[in-house]
Amino acid sequence: MGAAVPESQSLSYELDSEGFKLVADRLVEKAGIHAMLHRQFVAPLMDGDIVIGPS
């Protein structure tokens, strides 16, 4: 996806940190995960042993 380019002075790759964030967000979305970034909550809402959401 273009977030990594070959390093000119070695055999490794250089990561574009901003590009990596976009790639990581897309992978999380594709996995069906609803990311809740920069959220604050005290305790999760539970249904037995399953977390069903933030309080």
Side-chain angles (χ1 to χ4, degrees):
M1 294 183 181
V5 294
E7 171 64 46
S8 62
Q9 298 175 352
S10 70
L11 298 175
S12 62
Y13 281 78
E14 177 183 346
L15 290 178
D16 170 17
S17 60
E18 293 302 314
F20 176 77
K21 290 176 193 177
L22 295 173
V23 171
D25 285 345
R26 287 186 190 147
L27 291 173
V28 167
E29 246 179 49
K30 261 187 167 179
I33 298 168
H34 177 73
M36 293 190 286
L37 306 174
H38 308 289
R39 300 278 181 117
Q40 294 181 355
F41 55 94
V42 175
L45 290 176
M46 302 292 291
D47 183 9
D49 291 337
I50 300 171
V51 176
I52 59 173
S55 62

